[in-house]
Amino acid sequence: MERRVAFESSFAIAEAVKMADIDVCAAYPITPQTHIVERVAQLVANGELDANYIPVESEHSALSACLGSSAAGGRTFTATAGQGLELMHEVVYVASGMRLPIVMSVCNRALSVPLSIWGDHSDVMSVRDTGWIQIFAENAQQAFDLTLCAFHIAEDPAVLLPTMIHIDGFHLSHVIEPVLLPEQEKVTRFLPKYHHPFALDVNNPAAMGDFALPDLYTEAKVAHDMALRNSIKVILQVWQKFGEEFGREYSPVETYGAEDADILLLTMGSFSEVAMEAIDRLKRAGEKVGLVRLRLWRPFPFEQFRQTVGRAKLLIVLDRALSVGGPGPVCSEVQAALYHLKERPQVIGFIGGLGGRDISVEGFQNMIHRGMDKASQGKPGEIEVFDVREK
Amino acid sequence: MNDITEIRWHGRGGQGAVTSAELLALTAIKEGNIAQAFPSFGPERRGAPVIAFNRISAGKPIRSRAAIAEPDIVVVLDPGLLGIIDVTRGLRDGGVLIVNSSKGLATVNSEIGGPWKLAVVDATAIARDILKRPIVNTAMLGALIKATGVVNLESLTQPLEERFGKLSEINVQACSKAYKEAVVMEYSPGVKKAEKVYPIEKSLSWKELNLGFVVTEMGNARSYRTGYWKSERPVRDNAKCIKCGMCALFCPEDCIHQDAEGYFEADEFYCKGCGICARECWTGAITMVEA
Amino acid sequence: METLSIYAPRLVTKRQSLTPGHRACSGCGEALALKFVMKALGRDVIVVMSTGCMEIISSQLPYTAWEVPWIHTLFENAATVATGVESARKALARKGASLPKAKVVAIGGDGATFDIGLGALSGAFERGHDFLYVCLDNEAYMNTGIQRSSATPYGASTTTQPAGKASFGQSTWKKNMPAIAVAHDIAYVATASASYPFDLMNKVKKAIAVEGPSYLHIFAVCPTGWRIPTDMTIRVGRLAVETGVFPLYEVENGKYSLNYDPPQLRPVIDYLKPQGRFRHLTPEMVDKIQQRVNKEYARIKEKAAQ
Ligand SMILES: Cc1ncc(C[n+]2csc(CCOP(=O)(O)OP(=O)(O)O)c2C)c(N)n1
Ligand code: SF4
Ligand code: SF4
Ligand SMILES: [Mg+2]
């Protein structure tokens, strides 16, 4: 029987990890990820999850142990946030290049200095180019569903790429909400067994991790790139299968009230739901606005994205990360994706929600209006940091 | 020649090809030219074939930093390389080839002659004689200068002093001796380069790489002929050999195997010529000779 | 000690898990040490290797000199990757997978072990995973061109602490890595040298027989970095032992035993003299090194006598 429980996203993820029957979790605690790994450790301690929990001495080691586990053929999970993801950084590239389908929850957190344990997407942007599949959840239910799907996608023989599920620190990780948990049996049927074709095996030895001379490095990188780009097919299939089995649909680019909208707001992560409220209010006031939620961050869903926003007049993009001295990271990608279209919306970027700063429903209404003003005045500007005290 | 003279050095890791290129660039720059020196950046280790490059120009700015595919001048520091690497690949018609060899001009020309000027010097003998070590890079600089005049011999003294300190004097001597002893055969147009097939490693396309760049053909490094690295090879005196296998035990290449008669024989294909087998032999049955 | 029959070499297995065609320098003592390690390990082994000379010389895409399952990921994490392999295999076996038996062995250079990967190694030891860690100690970062590490001996000239008018090279004493391993209270710690292959291979076998972590510290002469002729590799390794610079000992469950204790140690100068990296040392410095070696050797002897 499906159960309805009250879980924060952290517990929802731990539950998905349990139902996926992982073999190894190697992790190092960092706020706001701690609830996930504590819960996984507890499930192992209770005998509810038959896995080895490796309490490593750093995040670098957390992901390094995951490399070994995944390469040995174990279903492998880890979680981190902010500084932890930074300490892992070089290992992050290795996991994807070596095609080890580790699933990692990232509880999005700001980066020092100043030290901040609170949420934003600075850590996400620092691993943008690491070759992982990256997916955003917006609430606890999605955190559960998408984590489950992540194992399916990552371990698909046509994919074999590690996958990050991003959840916003505190706004998701620590907020209790209702979550529907499916029956274990149904999950077991949904999720195929993990098999790596080159898993470390004395009967079928293979060498993993050769170095490449300039003569082969480009080819190696292209092979990785093609694998990540092509993974979108499997992502769509798995989400479709999930929808059929469990009744909840996901797609790379999702919208809210965008059908007849001239003006679109783009968000990623938990702020999307706040923005929905703002869209409702503005619509009621007769404004032709809508919301675009980028669920799949990597591989970037170029096609779906262009189809969704191509006909709008104005696209307002919220970045929860400040690329110091540069453009808004999501905004500039979006601009690049649209550049080749003959007709494309004007794009206006805002930076906001840094280091745990909330954006309220009114805040989003103001942001949309401010964006419309800038567009009509023909002054898009490079970046604008939303809600910053000047005096 | 062109406004920019391009030079390619062929040697082995540890032989000083890179140092030669550096010294040449320092000298050319001191003379007021514009010059460049760089190695082929790679993981090659002591004994493995290596390449280094120079570009020299009287005034035209040198902008390319790419490896030189069509050199005006090729210098070969190790005679053993001639059989295994296509050292004259891309050498321009009318260019210059300078080779370290004890075989003399005529023989070298018959082996590797072509539409270029050829200079031959026995730099190894010179180095052994003067430096007491087979490090031929400074001698080869002397031969290069004689055959091409890219820089003046005297200009080399100061860079040699700065590089070699106390040892600079003998290096200057080695250089001058090679300058004197190098013999040159002028360019005669129309001569054809001898046809010869060299081993080439096939380059894979991205689709041919295994998932995650995994290698499943275990031990396929066996196809790599490290035997090309050696400048000396072990020779066994069967009269002294007691067939104990001490040589095989200590060979870092694990390339000494017992033959039908029970002798431990080094596999030429892999032997790098380190000399450990000779040194560790109980009875002194093994000696190292020029490869 | 290594006084076996002169025909003993013939008994060493011909099987190669590390094949010829590897690209180590001519005369490389680290490749030789690795050869012995692999011969002793046999085929039922999964090798995890850190970045360094031995990795680079054996794994140029699309080639491998390995015939056993092998994984290299980064410079500082071989111990940790090994713990991941070991943990996954344990979990899979518990859940019913039929896995062939295999020992997990992590191999790293002194840089990987003493310096950048020390925290990771300590964590792996502390957690008690069943694996062997082999340190191939050539006393510097050789892969990147002879830079100093905390394994570099006092007085040696390296490219990042070279000898010069105002420097005599390495100004610190070699870190006591085996003692650090022993401090983790693991069941087996030993030192070995490629110049004493039977002792080395014996220790490999003992180390993998242990349940839980074990640590093998192997002295690996690097002719390129130490500036010695390539044929002197074995000789110099022997001199290190005969002078007491690198004693061969084991620590089994905390109990020290000295495997080779000559009646009279040779003076350290015999070991230092053939090596270019010590060429600049003054008699006073040699004397200082001699004092230190005497003290350290006595300490090991004392522990072994307990
Ligand atoms: C994080 C990181 N820092 C630095 C390097 C560069 N690096 C590669 S191998 C190496 C030295 C290896 O030294 P050691 O572990 O002693 O092995 P050896 O090459 O001497 O056998 C260094 C510094 C690297 N690969 N990764
Ligand atoms: S010289 Fe002897 S020890 Fe050295 S590689 Fe050749 S056969 Fe092996
Ligand atoms: S640098 Fe030293 S350790 Fe590295 S391959 Fe050469 S001899 Fe061996
Ligand atoms: Mg080292």
Side-chain angles (χ1 to χ4, degrees):
Chain A
M1 265 285 284
E2 193 174 60
R3 282 189 301 144
R4 190 160 179 273
V5 297
F7 267 176
E8 51 179 41
S9 290
S10 297
F11 277 40
I13 288 171
E15 198 62 22
V17 165
K18 184 191 96 186
M19 289 196 170
D21 188 27
I22 61 155
D23 300 305
V24 169
C25 171
Y28 191 82
I30 179 169
T31 307
Q33 152 266 34
T34 40
H35 289 188
I36 300 178
V37 296
E38 289 166 0
R39 179 71 174 174
V40 171
Q42 187 67 56
L43 289 168
V44 172
N46 294 349
E48 292 179 59
L49 167 60
D50 185 4
N52 283 342
Y53 184 94
I54 315 180
V56 288
E57 77 299 333
S58 76
E59 283 88 355
H60 194 286
S61 283
L63 195 54
S64 293
C66 288
L67 297 179
S69 164
S70 188
R75 179 168 284 166
T76 306
F77 172 78
T78 188
T80 192
Q83 304 308 128
L85 190 59
E86 297 307 301
L87 189 58
M88 273 184 191
H89 196 75
E90 65 162 351
V91 197
V92 179
Y93 286 85
V94 176
S96 59
M98 292 178 81
R99 309 291 293 275
L100 299 171
I102 299 155
V103 172
M104 170 156 72
S105 305
V106 181
C107 298
N108 307 138
R109 172 178 154 164
L111 296 178
S112 289
V113 292
L115 187 145
S116 163
I117 58 169
W118 293 277
D120 72 24
H121 292 171
S122 303
D123 55 359
V124 183
M125 295 308 143
S126 78
V127 293
R128 185 188 66 180
D129 302 333
T130 54
W132 286 50
I133 294 170
Q134 301 192 43
I135 296 164
F136 275 88
E138 299 162 324
N139 57 42
Q141 184 68 58
Q142 292 182 6
F144 175 87
D145 294 351
L146 294 169
T147 302
L148 211 53
C149 290
F151 286 103
H152 198 323
I153 294 165
E155 296 169 2
D156 188 287
V159 176
L160 287 167
L161 283 165
T163 301
M164 280 178 212
I165 300 297
H166 292 295
I167 65 165
D168 285 322
F170 293 109
H171 285 105
L172 286 187
S173 63
H174 285 55
V175 173
I176 293 177
E177 340 174 33
V179 180
L180 286 172
L181 298 179
E183 282 171 61
Q184 176 67 56
E185 237 174 72
K186 226 173 148 187
V187 172
T188 310
R189 248 182 293 126
F190 171 72
L191 199 57
K193 280 222 156 323
Y194 169 45
H195 169 78
H196 196 286
F198 302 121
L200 295 165
D201 173 5
V202 291
N203 291 337
N204 288 295
M208 312 173 104
D210 268 27
F211 80 95
L213 290 177
D215 180 53
L216 259 183
Y217 186 82
T218 305
E219 282 66 26
K221 282 286 159 184
V222 167
H224 182 177
D225 181 60
M226 293 306 284
L228 186 58
R229 283 175 203 274
N230 288 334
S231 70
I232 197 158
K233 290 183 210 125
V234 174
I235 295 170
L236 292 170
Q237 280 166 17
V238 170
W239 282 347
Q240 194 187 344
K241 179 176 158 193
F242 184 86
E244 287 160 9
E245 299 270 332
F246 301 97
R248 288 180 293 276
E249 313 270 338
Y250 294 100
S251 72
V253 185
E254 295 179 17
T255 55
Y256 182 77
E259 299 70 32
D260 55 350
D262 292 332
I263 296 153
L264 294 174
L265 172 68
L266 183 143
T267 52
M268 296 199 301
S270 64
F271 279 25
S272 301
E273 297 198 339
V274 187
M276 286 178 191
E277 276 300 312
I279 297 292
D280 282 348
R281 286 192 198 173
L282 292 173
K283 270 192 187 306
R284 278 200 294 274
E287 301 196 40
K288 296 185 82 176
V289 295
L291 181 67
V292 179
R293 299 130 63 205
L294 198 54
R295 176 165 310 289
L296 182 63
W297 171 230
R298 280 293 181 278
F300 192 88
F302 288 100
E303 215 173 291
Q304 292 88 342
F305 177 74
R306 287 189 196 113
Q307 270 167 17
T308 311
V309 309
R311 280 185 307 275
K313 295 206 174 73
L314 174 62
L315 177 63
I316 298 162
V317 179
L318 171 64
D319 260 297
R320 284 194 71 192
L322 177 59
S323 162
V324 182
V330 178
C331 186
S332 59
E333 288 222 6
V334 159
Q335 285 168 321
L338 295 173
Y339 188 76
H340 298 291
L341 297 183
K342 275 211 190 71
E343 277 183 49
R344 55 174 187 248
Q346 184 171 7
V347 179
I348 294 204
F350 289 96
I351 315 276
L354 299 183
R357 175 92 51 106
D358 270 331
I359 302 180
S360 62
V361 176
E362 293 73 27
F364 273 112
Q365 285 174 268
N366 292 340
M367 188 188 297
I368 291 169
H369 284 148
R370 172 91 187 117
M372 288 160 67
D373 286 349
K374 288 177 90 171
S376 64
Q377 288 162 10
K379 290 182 182 156
E382 295 301 347
I383 66 161
E384 179 172 328
V385 180
F386 187 72
D387 184 26
V388 65
R389 284 183 297 280
E390 298 285 351
K391 281 194 272 208
Chain B
M1 286 203 189
N2 303 325
D3 297 349
I4 298 175
T5 304
E6 297 188 310
I7 305 173
R8 192 171 68 211
W9 298 79
H10 290 271
R12 295 181 186 282
Q15 262 178 355
V18 177
T19 308
S20 302
E22 282 172 18
L23 286 167
L24 184 63
L26 290 175
T27 309
I29 290 168
K30 223 177 111 289
E31 287 185 346
N33 298 301
I34 296 169
Q36 207 185 45
F38 58 101
S40 72
F41 309 97
E44 285 79 11
R45 288 199 158 40
R46 199 161 165 177
V50 296
I51 312 179
F53 305 99
N54 282 121
R55 287 191 175 90
I56 300 175
S57 120
K60 190 174 173 189
I62 300 173
R63 298 201 170 100
S64 173
R65 287 163 196 274
I68 295 168
E70 295 183 352
D72 303 293
I73 301 168
V74 168
V75 191
V76 184
L77 272 63
D78 191 308
L81 293 172
L82 296 180
I84 60 170
I85 288 172
D86 187 3
V87 293
T88 60
R89 184 150 148 201
L91 178 58
R92 287 180 206 275
D93 197 318
V96 188
L97 172 65
I98 300 121
V99 178
N100 168 25
S101 174
S102 58
K103 290 182 182 167
L105 191 60
T107 316
V108 174
N109 184 50
S110 69
E111 281 173 14
I112 194 158
W116 43 70
K117 180 172 174 178
L118 175 67
V120 175
V121 67
D122 190 353
T124 308
I126 295 172
R128 283 220 161 96
D129 176 28
I130 298 177
L131 306 177
K132 311 294 174 210
R133 294 194 307 164
I135 307 283
V136 298
N137 54 1
T138 42
M140 289 309 285
L141 276 168
L144 167 76
I145 293 167
K146 174 146 175 195
T148 65
V150 278
V151 293
N152 294 307
L153 192 59
E154 306 77 57
S155 318
L156 200 58
T157 313
Q158 197 192 328
L160 283 175
E161 274 167 5
E162 282 163 15
R163 171 60 64 108
F164 293 108
K166 278 181 282 183
L167 299 175
S168 68
E169 204 172 306
I170 50 175
N171 274 290
V172 172
Q173 276 173 33
C175 186
S176 318
K177 184 152 189 222
Y179 183 90
K180 271 186 224 110
E181 288 185 6
V183 283
V184 178
M185 180 181 284
E186 288 305 326
Y187 165 59
S188 51
V191 179
K192 284 253 169 333
K193 172 177 169 173
E195 294 273 338
K196 193 169 170 203
V197 187
Y198 295 91
I200 43 164
E201 294 187 20
K202 183 185 176 290
S203 295
L204 300 176
S205 80
W206 70 264
K207 289 177 189 162
E208 290 169 299
L209 287 168
N210 272 334
L211 179 123
F213 327 125
V214 170
V215 180
T216 52
E217 241 186 280
M218 302 312 282
N220 62 355
R222 286 182 203 276
S223 67
Y224 183 68
R225 185 168 193 151
T226 52
Y228 282 154
W229 295 15
K230 65 174 143 315
S231 43
E232 290 189 326
R233 67 187 165 85
V235 175
R236 185 186 59 248
D237 176 357
N238 284 353
K240 286 192 191 159
C241 176
I242 56 166
K243 302 180 181 175
C244 65
M246 195 56 75
C247 51
L249 180 68
F250 284 116
C251 172
E253 312 309 317
D254 206 3
C255 76
I256 306 183
H257 307 293
Q258 217 167 1
D259 65 14
E261 289 172 62
Y263 289 113
F264 285 84
E265 183 69 27
D267 186 341
E268 281 282 331
F269 192 88
Y270 300 114
C271 168
K272 293 175 187 161
C274 67
I276 288 178
C277 52
R279 173 73 62 187
E280 294 308 317
C281 175
W282 297 91
T283 65
I286 304 174
T287 42
M288 300 302 291
V289 304
E290 206 167 306
Chain C
M1 183 68 210
E2 304 292 312
T3 50
L4 297 150
S5 144
I6 52 168
Y7 291 106
R10 292 213 215 150
L11 302 175
V12 175
T13 177
K14 289 171 193 63
R15 231 171 33 194
Q16 297 165 326
S17 312
L18 174 74
T19 67
H22 68 67
R23 303 173 190 224
C25 296
S26 173
C28 173
E30 195 172 24
L32 180 60
L34 189 54
K35 164 182 132 171
F36 293 134
V37 170
M38 294 317 299
K39 288 204 185 271
L41 284 176
R43 290 291 171 111
D44 297 332
V45 55
I46 294 172
V47 174
V48 182
M49 187 159 245
S50 60
T51 311
C53 272
M54 292 304 101
E55 168 261 332
I56 288 291
I57 60 101
S58 64
S59 72
Q60 178 172 316
L61 201 63
Y63 298 103
T64 181
W66 294 89
E67 295 207 325
V68 291
W70 180 89
I71 179 170
H72 156 255
T73 69
L74 292 163
F75 182 22
E76 62 279 37
N77 66 353
T80 319
V81 173
T83 68
V85 173
E86 182 254 14
S87 295
R89 286 174 55 82
K90 276 194 169 153
L92 290 166
R94 203 169 54 228
K95 290 158 119 174
S98 64
L99 299 178
K101 254 187 64 155
K103 186 80 183 189
V104 181
V105 178
I107 305 176
D110 51 290
T113 309
F114 285 60
D115 294 342
I116 200 165
L118 184 60
L121 179 59
S122 173
F125 280 162
E126 178 270 328
R127 293 191 301 272
H129 298 270
D130 183 19
F131 80 117
L132 163 63
Y133 189 94
V134 177
C135 171
L136 298 173
D137 179 10
N138 57 15
E139 305 198 315
Y141 304 156
M142 294 309 177
N143 185 44
T144 37
I146 327 176
Q147 294 89 16
R148 64 91 72 182
S149 76
S150 59
T152 303
Y154 183 86
S157 182
T158 54
T159 53
T160 47
Q161 209 166 344
K165 271 208 188 84
S167 159
F168 54 84
Q170 187 89 350
S171 59
T172 49
W173 299 100
K174 185 182 176 96
K175 193 190 277 182
N176 190 342
M177 191 58 216
I180 293 173
V182 170
H184 287 79
D185 217 2
I186 61 179
Y188 188 79
V189 173
T191 64
S193 159
S195 298
Y196 299 82
F198 295 98
D199 175 67
L200 188 162
M201 291 187 281
N202 191 25
K203 284 170 174 170
V204 171
K205 287 183 184 140
K206 275 174 106 166
I208 56 169
V210 163
E211 181 82 34
S214 49
Y215 177 73
L216 196 55
H217 190 116
I218 307 183
F219 195 71
V221 176
C222 168
T224 306
W226 298 10
R227 309 213 185 95
I228 60 169
T230 55
D231 63 343
M232 285 295 287
T233 297
I234 313 299
R235 290 288 149 109
V236 168
R238 251 182 229 128
L239 285 166
V241 174
E242 289 168 359
T243 54
V245 166
F246 190 85
L248 301 177
Y249 60 93
E250 281 172 301
V251 191
E252 289 172 275
N253 297 309
K255 170 90 187 81
Y256 280 72
S257 49
L258 194 54
N259 307 115
Y260 177 63
D261 186 21
Q264 176 88 58
L265 290 179
R266 293 173 71 151
V268 291
I269 187 69
D270 290 3
Y271 167 69
L272 303 174
K273 193 122 202 200
Q275 301 184 52
R277 63 177 174 157
F278 296 117
R279 189 179 294 142
H280 56 282
L281 293 185
T282 59
E284 293 72 40
M285 300 209 48
V286 172
D287 194 49
K288 198 168 167 190
I289 294 170
Q290 183 70 65
Q291 300 309 322
R292 173 85 179 193
V293 166
N294 294 350
K295 198 174 99 199
E296 291 295 315
Y297 195 84
R299 195 182 287 176
I300 296 277
K301 261 188 100 153
E302 195 181 307
K303 282 186 176 161
Q306 276 166 14

